[in-house]
Amino acid sequence: MEWTGARYADGPTAQDSVWIDAPPQRVWQLASDITLMPGTSDELRSVQWLDGATGPELGARFAGHNKHPSFGEWQTTSYVVECEPGRVFAWAVEDPEVPSALWKFTLSGEGERGGTVLTQWVRLGPGRSGLSYAIDRMPEKEQKIVFVRMKEFETGMARTLAVLKGLAEGADPEAAPEAAPEAAPEEGGR
């Protein structure tokens, strides 16, 4: 990620993509399985569906428990805001109308080449998050704080996509890298 000078109110975004040698339905099963995500992230510690939900569907809620060396530990509630099997899975963190972050997986089949392109995308804000409190304490460093957080997200997305690619292409799920404590963050919306 290159320096953009973005501020939190700009709604900065980051994304990464990977080609996966598996059909979109297989990739969808993995990308929309929130229970896999802690194993792909250094920040997200655990996730569980709420309100009796057992899988992805529009309006379903899930709780995420996170830990970061600079932010400490916290929990978020996310709302599934887009859910099209084989195509898109998106969730808003905290408030679906004014989220602290919006996360999205999009999938596209690759025609002659076969396989699937999986893209993970995130936008900060417009709702307040833990990052907002860091900016409140050091407003003169807002652009740097946002830049560092977006770099962390980018690093985390690359790891998540690599793990999902390995699983979709038949890697042993037990061989998925474990989340390392106190390392660069990924999911969670802070």
Side-chain angles (χ1 to χ4, degrees), residues 41-153:
S41 172
D42 292 327
E43 182 174 306
L44 185 64
R45 300 303 180 174
S46 66
V47 181
Q48 62 273 342
W49 289 108
L50 299 173
D51 309 320
T54 59
E57 63 181 60
L58 196 59
R61 297 182 332 131
F62 60 90
H65 303 271
N66 303 274
K67 184 176 180 181
H68 183 280
S70 297
F71 300 121
E73 295 184 39
W74 71 97
Q75 178 177 318
T76 60
T77 300
S78 293
Y79 298 77
V80 177
V81 294
E82 286 185 74
C83 188
E84 296 177 44
R87 295 184 28 118
V88 64
F89 177 60
W91 63 98
V93 181
E94 291 305 335
D95 181 341
E97 300 299 319
V98 187
S100 60
L102 181 63
W103 289 88
K104 183 184 295 193
F105 283 110
T106 56
L107 301 84
S108 60
E110 279 294 290
E112 293 176 22
R113 186 174 178 197
T116 306
V117 173
L118 177 63
T119 300
Q120 187 175 20
W121 175 90
V122 63
R123 182 193 72 218
L124 282 178
R128 290 181 57 83
S129 71
L131 200 61
S132 302
Y133 299 106
I135 293 167
D136 290 348
R137 287 191 310 270
M138 300 174 282
E140 72 284 358
K141 295 183 178 182
E142 177 178 3
Q143 291 167 301
K144 182 175 182 179
I145 291 167
V146 168
F147 177 73
V148 168
R149 189 60 167 153
M150 298 311 290
K151 289 285 289 179
E152 290 175 338
F153 283 161

Side-chain angles (χ1 to χ4, degrees), residues 1-51:
M1 169 172 268
E2 292 185 26
W3 173 264
T4 64
R7 296 182 179 282
Y8 192 86
D10 296 331
T13 64
Q15 77 174 31
D16 198 1
S17 297
V18 67
W19 179 80
I20 300 174
D21 189 15
Q25 283 309 113
R26 171 67 180 141
V27 176
W28 162 262
Q29 290 171 338
L30 297 166
S32 65
D33 183 352
I34 63 164
T35 64
L36 289 177
M37 295 307 131
T40 73
S41 172
D42 292 327
E43 182 174 306
L44 185 64
R45 300 303 180 174
S46 66
V47 181
Q48 62 273 342
W49 289 108
L50 299 173
D51 309 320

Side-chain angles (χ1 to χ4, degrees), residues 26 30 36 40 162-176:
R26 171 67 180 141
L30 297 166
L36 289 177
T40 73
V163 170
L164 293 176
K165 176 181 174 69
L167 292 172
E169 292 178 348
D172 178 3
E174 300 299 317

